[in-house]
Amino acid sequence: MTQTQTSGDRTSTPARVPVEPVGGARAWLVWGVAVGGYFLAMLQRNGLGVAALEAQSRFDVGPALLSLLPMLQLLVYVVLQVPAGLLADRLGPRFTLVMGMIAMALGSCLFALAPGIEVAVAGRFLIGLGDALVFLNVIRLAALWFPRARYALVSGLTGVVGGTGQVASAAPLAWALNGVGWVAAFMATTGLTVLMALLVLLVVRDRPSGAAGRSTVADPISVWASLKEALKADGPRIGMAHHAAVMAPFTMMMVLWGYPFLVGGLGLSESTAALTLTGLAAGALWVAPFAGVLIGRHPGVRVYFALFLGGTLSLGWLLLVAWPDGAPVPLGVAVMAVSALGQTVAPTISFDFARDGIPASRTGVASGLVNMSGFSTAVACTVAAGAILQALPDEPASYQLAFVPIAVTTLLSTCVLAVFVRRRVRD
């Protein structure tokens, strides 16, 4: 019972203590519909990977100019992370998700029908804009509908669904491109995205009904204050370093360079390369729910997971780029497999760190910064790889040289991660 105190004509009521959400079937339904939009976002984000060789021929461009398509898409995604986080905190997830999926549908339609590189660039721009609004709002819904102990699990499952979208962007999309053609394959994703936007509008709600005392909007502080709050907290800073170290490598490979590397760098056939990408993306998915359950029960294990993955990836990528006379197939596939595992587990660990020390009503900005760090790294390394491949198209070790930037950034991010973890333990 809430007690009140009366003094003269004034009655004061103590602030209601926010009640933690309980989850349940309705929460899983809301999340399930919202995460369907994330599946489509990941499919469209990574769809250019297996379409890269056909896109070069269709638009008559070289590797450097081709890298402009995913670069622009990811650059828009990165730049909009903080604004998307603010929208998630202030406008609410439901309408922001719908806005994002409408933008993706328009972009996919333009990309499918593009007569030249200019229209294709405009399409990827819109896909990046819509993509930026999707993931953070799925994570925001998880924070509003599930208890804190379930957050890591739901984040991990979100990563699984996103990884499934990556799987669909590899061999299935390659088969669709070969079977029904460019226009039909990408127009199909347009139709699915429109249907998902309607489903979100009908099913998703920002918070459980009757959830008194918990608002979907953040406390009214300035953008600068929100950024300072997130950057001063240990959790978001660790999350940013971890995301840059473990999420960026496989993102770069799935967005553009994985399929060409397997074909041109390791000598696999096109069908084998598509199946290999599918297997790598799918094979790591089972780890995320396991990690989510474990982290929910024992939050301290996050640090060990983070440092192990960062260290292993750093060593693997350094070996790949330094191997004399070209990287052998087993090493190349093994490094990509560990990278796939890192990307799958990244949402579970990075975004759970992002919630540490931040009020529940302002998790969007912290999550946006974490997402920005990983994708900024992926954008820079994707473009750098394209420029190196353009300059050295016939060199035997061209892919090894092209991947030097991602090897260096992975190592540096892991070192920064270790420093932040040590400071946190010391404090």
Side-chain angles (χ1 to χ4, degrees), residues 20 27 52 63 83 99 109 131 138-139 147 168 238 273 288 320 332 358 382 418:
E20 189 174 40
M99 291 164 52
C109 182
D131 188 10
V138 177
I139 292 295
I238 293 175
L320 190 149
I358 301 294
T382 298

Side-chain angles (χ1 to χ4, degrees), residues 161-205:
V161 175
T164 307
Q166 282 189 327
V167 171
S169 74
L173 182 57
W175 295 331
L177 287 169
N178 291 330
V180 299
W182 180 282
V183 173
F186 285 109
M187 284 302 292
T189 64
T190 301
L192 289 173
T193 306
V194 171
L195 290 176
M196 186 57 67
L198 292 174
L199 195 58
V200 168
L201 199 59
L202 291 172
V203 176
V204 172
R205 295 295 180 269

Side-chain angles (χ1 to χ4, degrees), residues 4-406:
T4 61
Q5 297 175 338
T6 304
S7 177
D9 295 328
R10 293 183 300 175
T11 300
S12 62
T13 302
R16 191 190 300 267
V17 177
V19 179
E20 189 174 40
V22 297
R26 175 64 177 165
W28 286 110
L29 176 62
V30 168
W31 172 82
V33 171
V35 84
Y38 181 49
F39 169 89
L40 292 175
M42 289 294 286
L43 187 151
Q44 296 193 54
R45 180 193 303 170
N46 297 284
L48 190 58
V50 295
L53 299 179
E54 184 174 344
Q56 279 188 258
S57 174
R58 184 179 182 86
F59 301 128
D60 191 24
V61 295
L65 188 56
L66 180 64
S67 69
L68 175 66
L69 292 175
M71 182 276 292
L72 178 64
Q73 179 182 334
L74 288 179
L75 185 61
V76 172
Y77 182 92
V78 168
V79 169
L80 290 180
Q81 282 308 292
V82 171
L86 289 169
L87 280 176
D89 286 343
R90 298 187 180 188
L91 181 60
R94 182 187 178 211
F95 290 115
T96 312
L97 275 171
V98 172
M99 291 164 52
M101 281 183 277
I102 289 174
M104 284 196 302
L106 291 172
S108 180
C109 182
L110 280 179
F111 189 66
L113 303 175
I117 189 65
E118 297 83 4
V119 178
V121 166
R124 300 313 287 190
F125 175 90
L126 286 173
I127 290 174
L129 188 154
D131 188 10
L133 300 178
V134 173
F135 175 75
L136 291 182
N137 283 284
V138 177
I139 292 295
R140 188 79 176 91
L141 284 169
L144 291 166
W145 280 85
F146 291 92
R148 180 67 176 89
R150 288 282 183 89
Y151 185 76
L153 172 61
V154 179
S155 297
L157 291 172
T158 302
V160 169
V161 175
T164 307
Q166 282 189 327
V167 171
S169 74
L173 182 57
W175 295 331
L177 287 169
N178 291 330
V180 299
W182 180 282
V183 173
F186 285 109
M187 284 302 292
T189 64
T190 301
L192 289 173
T193 306
V194 171
L195 290 176
M196 186 57 67
L198 292 174
L199 195 58
V200 168
L201 199 59
L202 291 172
V203 176
V204 172
R205 295 295 180 269
D206 286 341
R207 59 175 178 164
S209 59
R214 291 189 294 108
S215 173
T216 60
V217 297
D219 302 331
I221 65 174
S222 68
V223 175
W224 180 242
S226 297
L227 289 170
K228 285 178 63 178
E229 177 185 56
L231 290 171
K232 286 176 64 177
D234 288 332
R237 290 189 296 182
I238 293 175
M240 290 172 68
H242 180 260
H243 213 232
V246 307
M247 190 282 303
F250 200 65
T251 297
M252 181 192 76
M253 302 302 277
M254 286 299 294
V255 163
L256 188 61
W257 295 122
Y259 184 77
F261 168 63
L262 291 173
V263 175
L266 297 183
L268 303 183
S269 68
E270 293 186 3
S271 60
T272 301
L275 286 173
T276 299
L277 274 182
T278 302
L280 292 175
L285 296 182
W286 65 273
V287 179
F290 169 77
V293 171
L294 188 61
I295 288 171
R297 295 176 180 174
H298 308 286
V301 303
R302 295 177 303 178
V303 169
Y304 301 104
F305 274 137
L307 292 175
F308 175 77
L309 280 172
T312 304
L313 278 170
S314 298
L315 177 61
W317 279 97
L318 288 173
L319 283 174
L320 190 149
V321 300
W323 200 273
D325 301 322
V329 172
L331 175 62
V333 173
V335 171
M336 288 186 65
V338 178
S339 300
L341 176 65
Q343 188 200 52
T344 300
V345 178
T348 308
I349 300 175
S350 301
F351 292 99
D352 199 68
F353 272 123
R355 289 195 64 179
D356 291 354
I358 301 294
S361 62
R362 291 196 288 270
T363 55
V365 172
S367 297
L369 289 170
V370 169
N371 225 18
M372 180 183 290
S373 69
F375 281 98
S376 297
T377 305
V379 168
C381 292
T382 298
V383 175
I388 293 171
L389 288 170
Q390 181 77 24
L392 302 169
D394 299 322
E395 292 291 332
S398 57
Y399 279 99
Q400 286 181 286
L401 294 173
F403 294 155
V404 167
I406 194 66

